[in-house]
Amino acid sequence: MEEKKVKKQDSVCTVAKKCGGCVYQGMPYKEQLKRKQKQEEQLLKKFCKVSPIIGMKDPYYYRNKVHAVFDRDRRGNIISGTYQANTHRVIAVEDCMIEDKKSQEIIRTIRHLLKSFKIKTYDEDTGYGLLRHVMVRRGFQTGEIMVILVLGSPILPSKNNFIKALRKEHPEITTIILNVNDKQTSMVLGEKEKVIYGPGFIRDTLCGCTFRISPQSFYQVNPVQTEVLYQTAMEYAGLQGKESIIDAYCGIGTIGMVAAKQAKHVLGIELNKDAVRDARMNAKENQMNNIEFRQGDAGKFMVDMAKKHQKVDVVFMDPPRAGSDEKFLSSVAQMGPKKVVYVSCNPVTLARDLKYMVKHGYKVEKIQPVDMFPFCDHVETVCLLTQNLA
């Protein structure tokens, strides 16, 4: 029954070829998983056996962060959707199969409200118009919803009435933020923002911890599979309650806080100051006294620790797609933690970094791919490295 449902839905997306966001659109889900497994094995099997990829039971509407760009079609009708791959042409999207349904409903409502409020969409070529983008973030566990209106200039006409009309249709919205992006840029969010309704953040729970998410905070977009990913990371770390831990590239503290429940002390390091502020708030709200966060470059921080001969038992690392760098990896090797748990979103840079670690005294014990992005070609991987004492 389930396979029939998947096959039926696989061909539903009408804009797949124009959008280019889902490269595996129209492919049965089992086949997608086979392809990802093959890619992982080609890149990583030289280090150790690659466990079978963990897929989703229901690989649809999983993204908790939905972004829509606004424009007008040739007839002057307001459209919302996504940029066509490698262009700035907007493809109208009515129903995306991987984005949260409620968030998409809210975006459609905003689109309908623009006409009655005489709000013009932003034109990238001329710089005229007001509304550029809308981003909606939803806490799947808490149900809290954040709406971010990205404007080309700071003033939203009839702001209070607009909020009232939007919340009349969607009373479940808990906060609304005006973000000003007045630059010629491909970045969605600008630096200036103003909270116009609610607290300016939402909360969600993951692995028994509560996290505060601000507009600019990084938070994994597939909360169902994030739990699988983090549980695997904790299982690999095998924490006994006595360990001293570093959570590098810690973001808002997700992995570190899950680990802190089973460790003696956790130190999180993150470059983004907003994320560090959220991480500290998160630790406070979860009443965790055995975790602290520092703002700075993880590589530099680890080099300083290595110079001072400071020791830790476990290093968790979850770098961006570019992977880690030699400075950071060499400092890990110098510090010599018993275990390194590497969470990767790019198997190509992971293979490069594992090669370095193997050359510098570590062996790869376990590799577990997790499908965080059904219909897309990205894959997350958790690796366990231990000191090679042979």
Side-chain angles (χ1 to χ4, degrees), residues 110 114 119 130-135 146-163 166 173 175-182 188-201 214-216:
I110 291 169
L114 295 183
I119 295 170
L130 185 63
L131 185 70
R132 292 184 78 155
H133 310 271
V134 171
M135 189 181 284
M146 170 193 293
V147 175
I148 307 161
L149 305 169
V150 184
L151 310 180
S153 57
I155 294 162
L156 178 67
S158 308
K159 180 184 71 186
N160 294 343
N161 288 335
F162 186 85
I163 293 168
L166 180 56
I173 293 171
T175 195
I176 302 172
I177 291 128
L178 287 188
N179 179 281
V180 183
N181 185 349
D182 52 9
V188 175
L189 297 177
E191 288 168 22
K192 295 176 241 167
E193 57 191 37
K194 183 184 176 188
V195 180
I196 58 171
Y197 176 79
F201 59 86
S214 296
Q216 312 258 6

Side-chain angles (χ1 to χ4, degrees), residues 313-345:
D313 301 299
V314 180
V315 170
F316 285 98
M317 49 188 290
D318 185 2
R321 283 191 64 72
S324 193
D325 57 28
E326 206 166 293
K327 182 173 62 178
F328 178 87
L329 294 172
S330 69
S331 62
V332 173
Q334 281 174 57
M335 289 177 79
K338 294 183 191 108
K339 292 178 180 178
V340 176
V341 180
Y342 192 144
V343 179
S344 163
C345 58

Side-chain angles (χ1 to χ4, degrees), residues 40-83:
E40 290 270 306
E41 285 174 356
Q42 282 172 341
L43 287 164
L44 304 171
K45 70 179 179 187
K46 60 191 168 195
F47 299 107
C48 79
K49 180 179 178 288
V50 179
S51 298
I53 189 168
I54 302 171
M56 291 187 81
K57 284 179 185 164
D58 182 8
Y60 301 99
Y61 305 109
Y62 59 82
R63 286 186 65 95
N64 60 10
K65 181 166 84 168
V66 177
H67 161 239
V69 59
F70 283 71
D71 202 355
R72 287 182 181 267
D73 64 16
R74 284 173 188 167
R75 290 183 299 244
N77 300 314
I78 297 170
I79 59 170
S80 61
T82 187
Y83 289 121

Side-chain angles (χ1 to χ4, degrees), residues 200-211:
F201 59 86
I202 57 169
R203 289 187 178 88
D204 199 20
T205 59
L206 199 62
C207 299
C209 296
T210 301
F211 296 100

Side-chain angles (χ1 to χ4, degrees), residues 5-61:
K5 183 183 85 173
V6 168
K7 281 183 178 172
K8 187 183 169 193
Q9 283 195 281
D10 280 338
S11 58
V12 167
C13 184
T14 55
V15 294
K17 288 189 174 123
K18 292 180 189 171
C19 162
C22 296
V23 294
Y24 291 148
Q25 191 58 249
M27 184 185 292
Y29 187 51
K30 281 185 181 174
E31 181 59 33
Q32 295 176 37
L33 294 177
K34 273 186 201 165
R35 292 226 182 164
K36 291 182 182 185
Q37 183 73 22
K38 190 179 175 187
Q39 180 199 18
E40 290 270 306
E41 285 174 356
Q42 282 172 341
L43 287 164
L44 304 171
K45 70 179 179 187
K46 60 191 168 195
F47 299 107
C48 79
K49 180 179 178 288
V50 179
S51 298
I53 189 168
I54 302 171
M56 291 187 81
K57 284 179 185 164
D58 182 8
Y60 301 99
Y61 305 109

